[in-house]
Amino acid sequence: MSRNYEIYRSLGISKEVLSYGESILEELRERFLQIDSTAEYNQLKVIKAMQDAKVSEACLLGTTGYGYNDLGRDTLEAVYANIFHTEDALVRPQITCGTHALALALSSCLRPGDELLSPVGKPYDTLEEVIGIRPSRGSLAEYGITYRQVDLLEDGGFDYENIKKAINSKTKMVTIQRSKGYQTRPTLSVGRIGELIAFIKKIKPDVICMVDNCYGEFVERTEPTDTGADLAVGSLIKNPGGGLAPTGGYIAGKKEYVENAACRLTSPGLAKEVGASLGILNSFYQGLFLAPTVTASALKGAVFAASLYEGLGFPVIPDGREERHDIIQAVTFGSPEGIVAFCKGIQAAAPVDSFVTPEPWDMPGYDSKVIMAAGAFVSGSSIELSADGPIKPPYAVYFQGGLTWPHAKFGIMRSLQQLLDDGVISFQKGVFCLNRDK
Ligand SMILES: *Cc1c(COP(=O)(O)O)cnc(C)c1O
């Protein structure tokens, strides 16, 4: 038995669960070495970008009021632009979340009469209201911007024929979501995104290609802006904030488009020149510095969860052997009880609010009840160990994060323990089995 058994036992993990978990880990050594190697590369990329931009102690301080000549803010934006290999970047605490960053990029680059195309199927739930797929106040649709969508093929491939047909004289912008989000489709690799963009640009070279990069940052050695994306957009309470950024979002890309977004965020004429950083920059810099290894911890957790639940017979996306392109792991439980028990387990493993019980609720922006488990230092942060699942078929839970690998490991085993304790699965004659009535 593991030398750490006693401490696990004190946290509610049984011998059966721990030894099953340890046996799964035996098989993952090689995978973890690859993840560490990518983290090493990205750590150096971040350090190089900080050195190139001459980040100084003064950059860690903040401004107040208008925020003119905010050295730390402007330097941080140069660091992001260097990491993403783009002309410019907008990295601000005034960008309230990922949805806001995406809405900014879209609404600032599109004009009435333009059309937006998603060639990768339905976008993330909250974007439906931004675009106006679900009618909403202030949506792009209300401003006379139309939307077209081409779904992925059954096998997850791009439907090139219909994408070509969908591109027309009005098509101004394309939105490509890298991560699967709350869907059970595969996540797109940076390489595949590059192929798709090359195809689209061949048909219409001036179309603006934006990638929703949420959950994808630092998972690979390259980012979508390295393979043709004009804009990459994401949230700082996911990967690039490294768990330390308490709020914020980023938009990295071509100067003109970043300028568009800045004019929309602040005001025409003011653009990037205003926006006090207050006292937040230290956490943005330090979080970015930690982001590659934090992302690696989350990735190890995702691979571990995939292998562990696959071993019990639950469908998992991606599976335990597949190459990773984001930090999200979907596990399909097929029943509300499975989702709820899983989330209870993740919650019980948290450093903060471990004693509360998560319940399904009507979350704004989503079209079904959602249960969320997170005992996070930053509210809603999903680079921290967290899980969420919409209470609708196929009853899949989406698990992500873990600022450290030992926490991710504990959380996943704690979730398995909860499934056992709640009777969703049982342990009989040395094996775990699914209780069919739950
Ligand atoms: C999280 C996420 C968003 C939205 O980000 P919020 O910060 O929750 O508003 C958009 N797209 C994808 C793929 C995401 O994972």
Side-chain angles (χ1 to χ4, degrees):
M1 201 74 229
S2 158
R3 287 175 62 189
N4 294 332
Y5 173 59
E6 280 307 317
I7 186 86
Y8 273 112
R9 199 174 61 123
S10 74
L11 285 156
I13 303 290
S14 64
K15 210 173 260 176
E16 293 75 38
V17 167
L18 181 60
S19 46
Y20 175 60
E22 296 286 357
S23 72
I24 293 290
L25 277 179
E26 290 292 316
E27 312 293 315
L28 296 177
R29 291 223 177 96
E30 192 57 37
R31 282 303 294 281
F32 280 23
L33 286 177
Q34 286 170 18
I35 291 170
D36 286 335
S37 171
T38 303
E40 182 179 348
Y41 179 89
N42 285 326
Q43 178 73 79
L44 297 176
K45 178 156 80 170
V46 169
I47 292 172
K48 179 82 166 58
M50 289 188 177
Q51 292 183 353
D52 287 354
K54 293 207 157 42
V55 173
S56 63
E57 197 175 350
C59 291
L60 307 178
L61 305 173
T63 56
T64 56
Y66 293 103
Y68 291 129
N69 302 312
D70 188 319
L71 174 73
R73 179 196 67 204
D74 296 347
T75 304
L76 181 68
E77 291 180 337
V79 171
Y80 266 73
N82 185 325
I83 289 168
F84 284 90
H85 303 122
T86 53
E87 291 171 4
D88 205 354
L90 187 67
V91 187
R92 302 287 169 121
Q94 289 86 4
I95 300 178
T96 56
C97 60
T99 304
H100 185 194
L102 290 158
L104 263 181
L106 292 170
S107 61
S108 64
C109 289
L110 292 161
R111 295 290 178 273
D114 288 342
E115 188 161 278
L116 172 68
L117 169 68
S118 171
V120 296
K122 188 180 96 62
Y124 193 74
D125 285 37
T126 57
L127 280 194
E128 292 186 5
E129 287 190 71
V130 171
I131 296 167
I133 300 171
R134 277 187 284 140
S136 194
R137 191 187 299 266
S139 69
L140 296 176
E142 280 197 351
Y143 286 87
I145 294 155
T146 54
Y147 171 72
R148 240 175 239 257
Q149 177 177 313
V150 178
D151 289 341
L152 293 172
L153 296 171
E154 204 128 312
D155 66 358
F158 300 126
D159 186 351
Y160 284 118
E161 204 182 307
N162 283 312
I163 293 170
K164 189 170 180 187
K165 279 188 203 149
I167 297 171
N168 59 65
S169 61
K170 287 169 63 184
T171 313
K172 172 75 172 292
M173 199 164 180
V174 166
T175 179
I176 299 168
Q177 184 179 309
R178 177 173 175 181
S179 167
K180 72 178 97 39
Y182 280 166
Q183 288 172 271
T184 43
R185 66 137 161 112
T187 287
L188 303 175
S189 68
V190 169
R192 286 191 66 207
I193 290 172
E195 287 165 24
L196 177 60
I197 292 174
F199 177 81
I200 290 165
K201 295 250 178 187
K202 222 157 133 193
I203 298 166
K204 193 164 186 184
D206 61 349
V207 73
I208 304 166
C209 292
M210 180 191 85
V211 173
D212 173 351
N213 208 27
C214 283
Y215 289 130
E217 299 91 352
F218 301 122
V219 172
E220 299 184 47
R221 282 174 166 77
T222 54
E223 298 294 338
T225 42
D226 292 315
T227 56
D230 298 303
L231 288 168
V233 179
S235 163
L236 298 195
I237 63 167
K238 293 180 181 173
N239 309 15
L244 292 186
T247 186
Y250 77 89
I251 297 173
K254 292 236 166 77
K255 197 166 189 60
E256 184 190 347
Y257 308 143
V258 171
E259 185 80 5
N260 284 345
C263 288
R264 182 81 188 211
L265 175 66
T266 65
S267 158
L270 301 180
K272 292 182 79 182
E273 302 300 319
V274 295
S277 57
L278 308 172
I280 216 167
L281 288 175
N282 196 310
S283 70
F284 281 15
Y285 279 105
Q286 197 175 358
L288 178 64
F289 175 77
L290 294 178
T293 51
V294 167
T295 302
S297 301
L299 270 177
K300 288 176 183 173
V303 171
F304 179 52
S307 304
L308 186 130
Y309 279 102
E310 194 172 31
L312 296 173
F314 293 103
V316 295
I317 300 177
D319 71 31
R321 287 158 305 281
E322 268 172 75
E323 191 123 19
R324 297 275 153 167
H325 310 296
D326 70 1
I327 63 166
I328 302 186
Q329 180 61 46
V331 182
T332 302
F333 287 105
S335 73
E337 291 81 8
I339 297 189
V340 171
F342 182 94
C343 289
K344 273 165 73 181
I346 295 296
Q347 188 73 39
V352 180
D353 288 336
S354 60
F355 48 85
V356 306
T357 306
E359 303 265 2
W361 65 299
D362 290 302
M363 194 182 166
Y366 297 86
D367 66 359
S368 67
K369 278 195 191 304
V370 178
I371 183 166
M372 305 202 140
F377 296 104
V378 170
S379 178
S381 165
S382 46
I383 185 63
E384 297 186 50
L385 189 71
S386 51
D388 27 46
I391 306 293
K392 62 181 179 188
Y395 300 105
V397 80
Y398 297 82
F399 156 86
Q400 67 270 312
L403 296 182
T404 69
W405 155 240
H407 183 214
K409 176 181 171 183
F410 166 54
I412 293 152
M413 290 198 292
R414 187 66 186 75
S415 71
L416 176 58
Q417 186 72 50
Q418 197 69 43
L419 285 156
L420 199 59
D421 295 349
D422 289 357
V424 179
I425 57 172
S426 55
F427 189 75
Q428 291 164 8
K429 299 189 187 115
V431 285
F432 289 101
C433 32
L434 190 55
N435 291 341
R436 288 287 161 203
D437 55 330
K438 292 262 178 140

